[in-house]
Amino acid sequence: MAAAPVRQRSGPGGPRAQLPPCYYEGYLEKRGPKEKASRRLWTCLCGNSLYFFNNAKDSHFVEKLDLSGFVSLKDDCSRDRNLEAARLILRMKDGETKITAPNLESRELWKGFLYSVVDLNVPSYLTLLPGQLQMLKEVVDKERSRRRTRTPTRAPPSRAPPSPLSVPLVGEIPPCFRPVSRTEAEVLLERHPDCGNMLLRPGRDGCSLAVTTRQDLNGSVFRHYRVTQRDQGGYIIDVENPIPCATLHEVIDALVEKTAGTLQPFLLEEPYEENITYVSANDENGERILHTAPSSPLPKAPALPPKQDRWPSSPLNRSPAPDRRILTSSVPASPTNPMRRLILSPSPLAQTFNEELKRKLEKRRASQE
């Protein structure tokens, strides 16, 4: 039987009605740290705890698991006799509890509800449908409201503790800073081991920072270090021998140095779009459609060759022909220049032609007289 949204079964005044509001329920196989075999129990996520019943109709729970000691939640890839079953390992401060869901979809939903209740934030790294994410958002809002009403009223403090992101930080923030919870930090480091194994994040108390690290020792080993800000300026890594640092960059550098470079800052390159997209409306039905712009540049029209005159008038566009004027233009105009006399002196053929023409003109003139 798959997990399902909440349905209260007992009437007013019954034991189940006295439990916190139930956000999710269904059959799970559970094996605690001291149990040798798994038991199939009807499981209800009520408030910040898991309540286990022998069956769905029982009013009295047989076991309770408080999630205030939550450490991590990860998939268990070991095989089960039921091939469709999907396993989980719920790590608490007092040990591990192995859980088996009916199928992968049920496991993903249980992870979403557990993370939402523990972190009071909808996880963004799970494969869930929009309607399921909306369910988780409603659970976060209800659990926040429940915790506020459960907290006894006290006199308001003189100054509310600031948010980690609003705390005035000294110097620049290192690039390995991520505004994520403890659980999300572990998931990031485990999913991207090639991007580094140490990140800086806000602390759970809302007034400090924390460094989360991941190393591999027959499986993932996570460590969390508190980083507090000093009143006189700077920061301190809260370990057995506190390490003072002037800036957050020095905090990261100190951890890298102390571990001989084993710890490296987590630098995850955010994805960027590979294509240009735009939204436009269809002219016929007005429907808005997402288009992808062409990746290659638009082809340009071929340029026409320059127009050339058939009979160029400029002397620069035609082959230079021998011209006597070109030769004579460079000769000085002095009458005593021998080169001028050589160029201007008539050739023998021209001189003979001129003398013959002169005799004919004289004969014609004499015959007319």
Side-chain angles (χ1 to χ4, degrees), residues 265-281:
F266 181 80
L267 302 176
L268 178 63
E269 180 67 23
E270 298 291 348
Y272 292 95
E273 299 295 334
E274 297 181 355
N275 297 305
I276 300 175
T277 58
Y278 62 95
V279 178
S280 65

Side-chain angles (χ1 to χ4, degrees), residues 315 318-327:
R318 56 175 183 241
S319 301
D323 192 346
R324 184 173 296 178
R325 288 175 297 178
I326 298 177
L327 297 176

Side-chain angles (χ1 to χ4, degrees), residues 15 58 89 139 146 154 189-190 225 292 311 341 352:
D58 279 0
I89 297 179
V139 167
R146 186 188 73 87
R154 295 179 296 179
L189 293 175
E190 192 160 24
Y225 304 96
T292 302
W311 308 105
R341 290 197 301 269
T352 304

